[in-house]
Amino acid sequence: MKPRDLIPLVLLLGALALTPLFASNLLLNFLVSALIIALGAQGWNLLGGYGGQLSFGHAALFGTGAYATAILQMKLGLNAWAGFAAGVALAALAGWVIGFLSFRARLRGSYFALVTLAFAEVLRILANAADFTGGAAGPADQAATGARQPAIRNPGRGAVGRAGLHPGRGTSDAVDRSRPLRRASGRGARE
């Protein structure tokens, strides 16, 4: 591969790196969702395409990373980027444990698929039952309790998401504030 063949790739990466400086929350939310789907597709490609194994455990790893990031940010007040790195590390550790136990038993084909599905279900049940995860509702918004709300800062756009978990959330809050007030007589007070 010649260096000039890398020019389009470098330009694309540069444009993606500059996107948060000028993009709306809607576009950022779309790009984040697209990247999450691409990440899942790469996981399936590695395990299913190259490894020849069918896995239903990707949800367990995704959920482990997401819950770890959210809990570290919302309950312990950890920086969003440090929480993200810790979530990735914890998900990788969970994947290593599941893979080690499954491949140590030399599981292949549908047996491997069922074991990964079982691990995903066990982790889902534990997340729904545990108090520190917020149970079935998930990590609660700590604004009512006065807990610190870390945020990912987007230069020129303020905070992107209250806890860095949902970029479009700030947009819905802005829409709520823009609605006209209704009075008690029916002409302007909030209900």
Side-chain angles (χ1 to χ4, degrees):
M1 180 179 263
K2 297 177 183 176
R4 71 170 183 204
D5 294 337
L6 295 176
I7 291 174
L9 180 63
V10 169
L11 290 175
L12 177 67
L13 290 176
L16 286 175
L18 294 175
T19 300
L21 297 175
F22 60 85
S24 67
N25 281 344
L26 178 68
L27 179 60
L28 288 175
N29 195 14
F30 172 76
L31 289 175
V32 166
S33 297
L35 289 173
I36 288 172
I37 291 168
L39 180 66
Q42 282 300 324
W44 274 89
N45 184 36
L46 286 173
L47 192 59
Y50 291 111
Q53 297 294 327
L54 180 62
S55 170
F56 296 116
H58 287 78
L61 306 179
F62 185 84
T64 300
Y67 267 107
T69 302
I71 290 168
L72 289 172
Q73 284 183 36
M74 298 179 86
K75 301 214 183 224
L76 301 179
L78 191 66
N79 178 302
W81 297 109
F84 171 72
V88 168
L90 192 60
L93 177 66
W96 183 84
V97 168
I98 293 170
F100 177 77
L101 293 175
S102 299
F103 291 130
R104 183 173 182 225
R106 299 185 187 275
L107 297 177
R108 302 279 186 256
S110 58
Y111 296 108
F112 178 76
L114 288 172
V115 165
T116 58
L117 179 64
F119 273 110
E121 279 299 301
V122 166
L123 289 176
R124 182 187 65 83
I125 291 168
L126 289 175
N128 283 337
D131 287 335
F132 70 92
T133 64
D141 188 0
Q142 303 293 319
T145 62
R148 187 170 162 263
Q149 288 289 319
I152 297 175
R153 295 288 172 188
N154 182 0
R157 291 279 180 199
V160 178
R162 291 165 77 186
L165 300 176
H166 192 284
R169 186 171 185 178
T171 306
S172 63
D173 290 345
V175 169
D176 287 343
R177 287 191 301 269
S178 70
R179 292 188 179 141
L181 297 175
R182 293 184 190 163
R183 293 192 187 148
S185 63
R187 293 184 280 165
R190 287 193 182 203
E191 299 175 319

